[in-house]
CSV table of all heavy atoms in Angstrom, one decimal:
chain,number,residue,atom,x,y,z
D,1,LEU,N,-39.6,50.6,-52.5
D,1,LEU,CA,-39.0,52.0,-52.1
D,1,LEU,C,-38.1,52.6,-53.1
D,1,LEU,O,-37.6,51.8,-53.9
D,1,LEU,CB,-38.2,51.7,-50.7
D,1,LEU,CG,-39.0,51.2,-49.6
D,1,LEU,CD1,-38.1,50.9,-48.4
D,1,LEU,CD2,-40.1,52.2,-49.1
D,2,SER,N,-38.0,53.8,-53.1
D,2,SER,CA,-37.1,54.4,-54.1
D,2,SER,C,-35.7,54.1,-53.7
D,2,SER,O,-35.3,53.9,-52.5
D,2,SER,CB,-37.3,55.9,-54.1
D,2,SER,OG,-37.0,56.5,-52.9
D,3,VAL,N,-34.9,54.0,-54.7
D,3,VAL,CA,-33.4,53.7,-54.5
D,3,VAL,C,-32.6,55.0,-54.7
D,3,VAL,O,-32.7,55.6,-55.8
D,3,VAL,CB,-32.9,52.7,-55.5
D,3,VAL,CG1,-31.5,52.3,-55.2
D,3,VAL,CG2,-33.8,51.4,-55.2
D,4,PRO,N,-31.7,55.4,-53.8
D,4,PRO,CA,-30.9,56.6,-54.0
D,4,PRO,C,-29.9,56.4,-55.2
D,4,PRO,O,-29.4,55.2,-55.4
D,4,PRO,CB,-30.1,56.7,-52.6
D,4,PRO,CG,-30.9,55.9,-51.7
D,4,PRO,CD,-31.6,54.8,-52.5
D,5,LYS,N,-29.7,57.4,-55.9
D,5,LYS,CA,-28.8,57.4,-57.1
D,5,LYS,C,-27.4,56.9,-56.7
D,5,LYS,O,-26.7,56.2,-57.5
D,5,LYS,CB,-28.7,58.7,-57.8
D,5,LYS,CG,-30.0,59.1,-58.6
D,5,LYS,CD,-29.9,58.5,-59.9
D,5,LYS,CE,-31.1,59.0,-60.7
D,5,LYS,NZ,-31.4,58.3,-61.9
D,6,ALA,N,-27.0,57.3,-55.6
D,6,ALA,CA,-25.6,56.9,-55.1
D,6,ALA,C,-25.4,55.4,-55.0
D,6,ALA,O,-24.5,54.9,-55.4
D,6,ALA,CB,-25.3,57.6,-53.8
D,7,LEU,N,-26.5,54.7,-54.5
D,7,LEU,CA,-26.4,53.2,-54.4
D,7,LEU,C,-26.5,52.6,-55.8
D,7,LEU,O,-25.8,51.6,-56.1
D,7,LEU,CB,-27.6,52.7,-53.6
D,7,LEU,CG,-27.6,52.9,-52.1
D,7,LEU,CD1,-28.8,52.3,-51.5
D,7,LEU,CD2,-26.3,52.3,-51.5
D,8,LEU,N,-27.2,53.2,-56.7
D,8,LEU,CA,-27.2,52.7,-58.1
D,8,LEU,C,-25.9,52.7,-58.8
D,8,LEU,O,-25.6,51.9,-59.6
D,8,LEU,CB,-28.3,53.4,-58.9
D,8,LEU,CG,-29.7,53.2,-58.6
D,8,LEU,CD1,-30.7,54.0,-59.4
D,8,LEU,CD2,-30.0,51.7,-58.8
D,9,TRP,N,-25.0,53.7,-58.5
D,9,TRP,CA,-23.8,53.8,-59.0
D,9,TRP,C,-22.7,53.1,-58.2
D,9,TRP,O,-21.7,52.6,-58.7
D,9,TRP,CB,-23.3,55.2,-59.3
D,9,TRP,CG,-24.1,55.8,-60.5
D,9,TRP,CD1,-25.1,56.6,-60.4
D,9,TRP,CD2,-23.9,55.5,-61.8
D,9,TRP,NE1,-25.6,56.9,-61.7
D,9,TRP,CE2,-24.8,56.2,-62.6
D,9,TRP,CE3,-23.0,54.7,-62.5
D,9,TRP,CZ2,-24.9,56.1,-64.0
D,9,TRP,CZ3,-23.0,54.6,-63.9
D,9,TRP,CH2,-24.0,55.3,-64.6
D,10,LEU,N,-22.9,53.1,-56.9
D,10,LEU,CA,-21.9,52.5,-56.0
D,10,LEU,C,-21.7,51.0,-56.2
D,10,LEU,O,-20.6,50.4,-56.1
D,10,LEU,CB,-22.3,52.8,-54.5
D,10,LEU,CG,-21.2,52.4,-53.5
D,10,LEU,CD1,-19.9,53.0,-53.7
D,10,LEU,CD2,-21.7,52.6,-52.1
D,11,HIS,N,-22.8,50.3,-56.3
D,11,HIS,CA,-22.8,48.8,-56.5
D,11,HIS,C,-22.0,48.4,-57.7
D,11,HIS,O,-21.1,47.6,-57.5
D,11,HIS,CB,-24.3,48.3,-56.5
D,11,HIS,CG,-24.3,46.8,-56.5
D,11,HIS,ND1,-23.8,46.0,-55.5
D,11,HIS,CD2,-24.8,45.9,-57.4
D,11,HIS,CE1,-24.0,44.7,-55.9
D,11,HIS,NE2,-24.5,44.6,-57.0
D,12,PRO,N,-22.3,48.9,-58.9
D,12,PRO,CA,-21.5,48.4,-60.0
D,12,PRO,C,-20.0,48.9,-60.0
D,12,PRO,O,-19.1,48.3,-60.4
D,12,PRO,CB,-22.2,49.0,-61.2
D,12,PRO,CG,-23.2,49.9,-60.8
D,12,PRO,CD,-23.4,49.7,-59.4
D,13,LEU,N,-19.8,50.1,-59.4
D,13,LEU,CA,-18.4,50.6,-59.3
D,13,LEU,C,-17.6,49.7,-58.4
D,13,LEU,O,-16.5,49.3,-58.7
D,13,LEU,CB,-18.4,52.1,-58.7
D,13,LEU,CG,-17.1,52.6,-58.5
D,13,LEU,CD1,-16.3,52.9,-59.8
D,13,LEU,CD2,-17.2,53.9,-57.7
D,14,LEU,N,-18.2,49.3,-57.2
D,14,LEU,CA,-17.5,48.4,-56.3
D,14,LEU,C,-17.3,47.0,-57.0
D,14,LEU,O,-16.2,46.3,-56.8
D,14,LEU,CB,-18.3,48.2,-55.0
D,14,LEU,CG,-18.3,49.5,-54.0
D,14,LEU,CD1,-19.2,49.2,-52.9
D,14,LEU,CD2,-16.8,49.7,-53.6
D,15,ALA,N,-18.2,46.6,-57.8
D,15,ALA,CA,-18.2,45.3,-58.4
D,15,ALA,C,-16.9,45.4,-59.5
D,15,ALA,O,-16.2,44.3,-59.5
D,15,ALA,CB,-19.4,45.0,-59.2
D,16,VAL,N,-16.9,46.4,-60.2
D,16,VAL,CA,-15.7,46.4,-61.1
D,16,VAL,C,-14.4,46.5,-60.4
D,16,VAL,O,-13.4,45.8,-60.8
D,16,VAL,CB,-15.9,47.7,-62.0
D,16,VAL,CG1,-14.6,48.1,-62.8
D,16,VAL,CG2,-17.1,47.7,-63.0
D,17,ILE,N,-14.3,47.2,-59.3
D,17,ILE,CA,-13.0,47.3,-58.5
D,17,ILE,C,-12.8,45.9,-58.0
D,17,ILE,O,-11.6,45.5,-58.0
D,17,ILE,CB,-13.2,48.3,-57.4
D,17,ILE,CG1,-13.2,49.7,-58.1
D,17,ILE,CG2,-12.0,48.2,-56.4
D,17,ILE,CD1,-13.6,50.8,-57.1
D,18,THR,N,-13.9,45.2,-57.5
D,18,THR,CA,-13.7,43.9,-56.9
D,18,THR,C,-13.1,42.9,-57.9
D,18,THR,O,-12.1,42.2,-57.7
D,18,THR,CB,-15.0,43.3,-56.3
D,18,THR,OG1,-15.4,44.1,-55.3
D,18,THR,CG2,-14.9,41.9,-55.9
D,19,VAL,N,-13.7,42.9,-59.1
D,19,VAL,CA,-13.3,41.9,-60.1
D,19,VAL,C,-11.8,42.2,-60.6
D,19,VAL,O,-11.0,41.3,-60.8
D,19,VAL,CB,-14.3,41.8,-61.3
D,19,VAL,CG1,-13.7,41.1,-62.4
D,19,VAL,CG2,-15.7,41.3,-60.8
D,20,ALA,N,-11.6,43.5,-60.7
D,20,ALA,CA,-10.2,43.9,-61.2
D,20,ALA,C,-9.1,43.4,-60.1
D,20,ALA,O,-8.1,42.9,-60.5
D,20,ALA,CB,-10.1,45.4,-61.4
D,21,CYS,N,-9.5,43.7,-58.9
D,21,CYS,CA,-8.5,43.3,-57.8
D,21,CYS,C,-8.4,41.8,-57.7
D,21,CYS,O,-7.3,41.3,-57.4
D,21,CYS,CB,-9.0,43.9,-56.5
D,21,CYS,SG,-8.7,45.6,-56.4
D,22,LEU,N,-9.5,41.1,-57.9
D,22,LEU,CA,-9.5,39.6,-57.7
D,22,LEU,C,-8.6,39.0,-58.8
D,22,LEU,O,-7.7,38.2,-58.6
D,22,LEU,CB,-10.8,38.9,-57.7
D,22,LEU,CG,-11.7,39.2,-56.5
D,22,LEU,CD1,-13.1,38.7,-56.8
D,22,LEU,CD2,-11.0,38.4,-55.4
D,23,TRP,N,-8.8,39.4,-60.1
D,23,TRP,CA,-8.0,38.8,-61.2
D,23,TRP,C,-6.5,39.3,-61.1
D,23,TRP,O,-5.7,38.5,-61.5
D,23,TRP,CB,-8.7,39.2,-62.5
D,23,TRP,CG,-9.9,38.3,-62.8
D,23,TRP,CD1,-11.1,38.7,-62.7
D,23,TRP,CD2,-9.8,36.9,-63.1
D,23,TRP,NE1,-11.9,37.6,-63.0
D,23,TRP,CE2,-11.1,36.4,-63.2
D,23,TRP,CE3,-8.8,35.9,-63.2
D,23,TRP,CZ2,-11.5,35.2,-63.5
D,23,TRP,CZ3,-9.1,34.6,-63.6
D,23,TRP,CH2,-10.4,34.3,-63.6
D,24,THR,N,-6.3,40.5,-60.6
D,24,THR,CA,-5.0,40.9,-60.4
D,24,THR,C,-4.3,40.0,-59.2
D,24,THR,O,-3.1,39.6,-59.4
D,24,THR,CB,-4.8,42.4,-60.0
D,24,THR,OG1,-5.5,43.1,-61.0
D,24,THR,CG2,-3.4,42.9,-59.8
D,25,ALA,N,-5.0,39.8,-58.2
D,25,ALA,CA,-4.5,38.9,-57.1
D,25,ALA,C,-4.2,37.5,-57.7
D,25,ALA,O,-3.2,36.9,-57.2
D,25,ALA,CB,-5.5,38.9,-56.0
D,26,VAL,N,-5.1,37.0,-58.5
D,26,VAL,CA,-4.8,35.6,-59.0
D,26,VAL,C,-3.6,35.7,-59.8
D,26,VAL,O,-2.8,34.8,-59.8
D,26,VAL,CB,-6.0,35.1,-59.8
D,26,VAL,CG1,-5.7,33.9,-60.6
D,26,VAL,CG2,-7.2,34.8,-58.9
D,27,ALA,N,-3.4,36.7,-60.7
D,27,ALA,CA,-2.2,36.8,-61.6
D,27,ALA,C,-0.9,36.9,-60.8
D,27,ALA,O,0.1,36.4,-61.2
D,27,ALA,CB,-2.4,37.9,-62.5
D,28,LEU,N,-0.9,37.6,-59.7
D,28,LEU,CA,0.2,37.9,-58.9
D,28,LEU,C,0.4,36.9,-57.7
D,28,LEU,O,1.4,37.1,-57.0
D,28,LEU,CB,0.2,39.3,-58.3
D,28,LEU,CG,0.1,40.5,-59.3
D,28,LEU,CD1,-0.1,41.7,-58.6
D,28,LEU,CD2,1.3,40.5,-60.2
D,29,TRP,N,-0.5,35.9,-57.6
D,29,TRP,CA,-0.4,35.0,-56.5
D,29,TRP,C,1.0,34.2,-56.6
D,29,TRP,O,1.4,33.7,-57.6
D,29,TRP,CB,-1.5,34.0,-56.6
D,29,TRP,CG,-1.8,33.1,-55.4
D,29,TRP,CD1,-1.1,31.9,-55.1
D,29,TRP,CD2,-2.7,33.3,-54.4
D,29,TRP,NE1,-1.6,31.5,-53.9
D,29,TRP,CE2,-2.5,32.3,-53.5
D,29,TRP,CE3,-3.6,34.3,-54.1
D,29,TRP,CZ2,-3.4,32.2,-52.3
D,29,TRP,CZ3,-4.3,34.3,-53.0
D,29,TRP,CH2,-4.2,33.2,-52.1
D,30,SER,N,1.7,34.2,-55.5
D,30,SER,CA,3.0,33.6,-55.4
D,30,SER,C,2.8,32.2,-54.7
D,30,SER,O,2.0,32.1,-53.8
D,30,SER,CB,4.0,34.4,-54.8
D,30,SER,OG,3.7,34.7,-53.4
D,31,GLY,N,3.5,31.2,-55.2
D,31,GLY,CA,3.4,29.9,-54.5
D,31,GLY,C,2.3,29.0,-55.2
D,31,GLY,O,1.9,29.3,-56.3
D,32,LYS,N,1.9,28.0,-54.4
D,32,LYS,CA,1.0,27.1,-54.9
D,32,LYS,C,-0.4,27.7,-55.2
D,32,LYS,O,-0.9,28.5,-54.3
D,32,LYS,CB,0.9,25.9,-53.9
D,32,LYS,CG,-0.1,24.8,-54.4
D,32,LYS,CD,-0.1,23.7,-53.4
D,32,LYS,CE,-1.2,22.7,-53.7
D,32,LYS,NZ,-1.5,21.8,-52.7
D,33,ALA,N,-1.0,27.4,-56.3
D,33,ALA,CA,-2.4,28.0,-56.6
D,33,ALA,C,-3.4,27.4,-55.5
D,33,ALA,O,-3.3,26.3,-55.2
D,33,ALA,CB,-2.8,27.7,-58.0
D,34,ASP,N,-4.3,28.3,-55.1
D,34,ASP,CA,-5.3,27.9,-54.2
D,34,ASP,C,-6.6,27.6,-55.0
D,34,ASP,O,-7.2,28.6,-55.6
D,34,ASP,CB,-5.5,29.0,-53.2
D,34,ASP,CG,-6.4,28.5,-52.0
D,34,ASP,OD1,-6.0,27.9,-51.1
D,34,ASP,OD2,-7.7,28.7,-52.2
D,35,TYR,N,-7.1,26.5,-54.9
D,35,TYR,CA,-8.3,26.0,-55.6
D,35,TYR,C,-9.5,26.9,-55.2
D,35,TYR,O,-10.2,27.3,-56.1
D,35,TYR,CB,-8.6,24.6,-55.4
D,35,TYR,CG,-9.9,24.1,-55.9
D,35,TYR,CD1,-10.0,23.9,-57.3
D,35,TYR,CD2,-11.0,23.9,-55.1
D,35,TYR,CE1,-11.2,23.4,-57.8
D,35,TYR,CE2,-12.2,23.6,-55.7
D,35,TYR,CZ,-12.3,23.3,-56.9
D,35,TYR,OH,-13.5,22.9,-57.5
D,36,PHE,N,-9.7,27.1,-53.9
D,36,PHE,CA,-10.9,27.8,-53.4
D,36,PHE,C,-10.9,29.3,-53.9
D,36,PHE,O,-11.9,29.9,-54.3
D,36,PHE,CB,-11.1,27.6,-51.9
D,36,PHE,CG,-11.5,26.4,-51.5
D,36,PHE,CD1,-10.6,25.5,-50.8
D,36,PHE,CD2,-12.8,25.8,-51.7
D,36,PHE,CE1,-11.0,24.2,-50.4
D,36,PHE,CE2,-13.2,24.6,-51.4
D,36,PHE,CZ,-12.3,23.8,-50.8
D,37,PHE,N,-9.7,29.9,-53.7
D,37,PHE,CA,-9.5,31.3,-54.2
D,37,PHE,C,-9.8,31.5,-55.7
D,37,PHE,O,-10.5,32.4,-56.1
D,37,PHE,CB,-8.3,31.9,-53.8
D,37,PHE,CG,-8.1,33.4,-53.9
D,37,PHE,CD1,-8.7,34.2,-53.0
D,37,PHE,CD2,-7.6,33.9,-55.0
D,37,PHE,CE1,-8.7,35.7,-53.1
D,37,PHE,CE2,-7.5,35.3,-55.2
D,37,PHE,CZ,-8.1,36.2,-54.2
D,38,ASN,N,-9.2,30.6,-56.4
D,38,ASN,CA,-9.4,30.6,-57.8
D,38,ASN,C,-10.9,30.5,-58.2
D,38,ASN,O,-11.5,31.1,-59.1
D,38,ASN,CB,-8.4,29.7,-58.6
D,38,ASN,CG,-7.1,30.1,-58.5
D,38,ASN,OD1,-6.7,31.2,-58.2
D,38,ASN,ND2,-6.2,29.2,-58.8
D,39,SER,N,-11.5,29.4,-57.6
D,39,SER,CA,-12.8,29.1,-57.9
D,39,SER,C,-13.8,30.3,-57.4
D,39,SER,O,-14.8,30.6,-58.1
D,39,SER,CB,-13.3,27.8,-57.2
D,39,SER,OG,-12.6,26.8,-57.6
D,40,GLY,N,-13.5,30.9,-56.2
D,40,GLY,CA,-14.2,32.0,-55.8
D,40,GLY,C,-14.1,33.2,-56.8
D,40,GLY,O,-15.2,33.9,-57.0
D,41,THR,N,-12.9,33.4,-57.3
D,41,THR,CA,-12.8,34.4,-58.3
D,41,THR,C,-13.6,34.2,-59.5
D,41,THR,O,-14.3,35.1,-60.0
D,41,THR,CB,-11.3,34.6,-58.7
D,41,THR,OG1,-10.5,34.9,-57.5
D,41,THR,CG2,-11.0,35.7,-59.7
D,42,PHE,N,-13.6,33.0,-60.0
D,42,PHE,CA,-14.5,32.7,-61.2
D,42,PHE,C,-16.0,32.8,-60.9
D,42,PHE,O,-16.7,33.4,-61.6
D,42,PHE,CB,-14.1,31.2,-61.5
D,42,PHE,CG,-15.0,30.8,-62.8
D,42,PHE,CD1,-14.7,31.3,-64.0
D,42,PHE,CD2,-16.1,29.9,-62.5
D,42,PHE,CE1,-15.5,30.9,-65.1
D,42,PHE,CE2,-16.8,29.5,-63.7
D,42,PHE,CZ,-16.6,30.0,-64.9
D,43,VAL,N,-16.4,32.4,-59.7
D,43,VAL,CA,-17.8,32.5,-59.4
D,43,VAL,C,-18.2,34.0,-59.2
D,43,VAL,O,-19.3,34.4,-59.6
D,43,VAL,CB,-18.1,31.7,-58.1
D,43,VAL,CG1,-19.5,31.9,-57.6
D,43,VAL,CG2,-18.0,30.2,-58.4
D,44,VAL,N,-17.4,34.8,-58.5
D,44,VAL,CA,-17.7,36.3,-58.4
D,44,VAL,C,-17.7,36.9,-59.8
D,44,VAL,O,-18.5,37.8,-60.1
D,44,VAL,CB,-16.7,36.9,-57.5
D,44,VAL,CG1,-16.8,38.4,-57.6
D,44,VAL,CG2,-16.8,36.5,-56.0
D,45,SER,N,-16.9,36.4,-60.7
D,45,SER,CA,-16.9,36.9,-62.1
D,45,SER,C,-18.2,36.6,-62.7
D,45,SER,O,-18.7,37.4,-63.5
D,45,SER,CB,-15.7,36.4,-62.9
D,45,SER,OG,-14.5,36.9,-62.3
D,46,LEU,N,-18.8,35.4,-62.5
D,46,LEU,CA,-20.1,35.0,-63.1
D,46,LEU,C,-21.1,35.9,-62.5
D,46,LEU,O,-22.0,36.3,-63.2
D,46,LEU,CB,-20.4,33.5,-62.7
D,46,LEU,CG,-19.5,32.5,-63.4
D,46,LEU,CD1,-19.9,31.1,-63.0
D,46,LEU,CD2,-19.8,32.5,-64.9
D,47,ALA,N,-21.1,36.2,-61.2
D,47,ALA,CA,-22.0,37.1,-60.6
D,47,ALA,C,-21.9,38.5,-61.2
D,47,ALA,O,-23.0,39.2,-61.5
D,47,ALA,CB,-21.8,37.2,-59.1
D,48,PHE,N,-20.7,38.9,-61.6
D,48,PHE,CA,-20.5,40.2,-62.2
D,48,PHE,C,-21.1,40.2,-63.5
D,48,PHE,O,-21.9,41.2,-63.9
D,48,PHE,CB,-19.0,40.5,-62.3
D,48,PHE,CG,-18.6,41.7,-63.0
D,48,PHE,CD1,-18.7,42.9,-62.3
D,48,PHE,CD2,-18.2,41.8,-64.4
D,48,PHE,CE1,-18.4,44.1,-62.9
D,48,PHE,CE2,-17.9,42.9,-65.0
D,48,PHE,CZ,-17.9,44.1,-64.2
């Protein structure tokens, strides 16, 4: 099927926002580091 142009731009735009927010959250994380959250951030970055 044809893909609307809005979806073609929305997916990478949301991905950039996601990765930026995740790495900012990791940098600002207070307290003990969380292994799963850090690993999830890395894996999502690989998908990016």
Side-chain angles (χ1 to χ4, degrees):
L1 301 173
S2 65
V3 178
K5 289 274 188 191
L7 286 181
L8 289 176
W9 287 103
L10 184 62
H11 184 63
L13 177 66
L14 287 174
V16 168
I17 293 169
T18 297
V19 171
C21 288
L22 284 174
W23 282 106
T24 303
V26 167
L28 299 177
W29 193 275
S30 61
K32 184 181 173 192
D34 187 87
Y35 173 78
F36 288 108
F37 189 81
N38 292 345
S39 298
T41 300
F42 179 72
V43 172
V44 167
S45 298
L46 288 176
F48 179 76

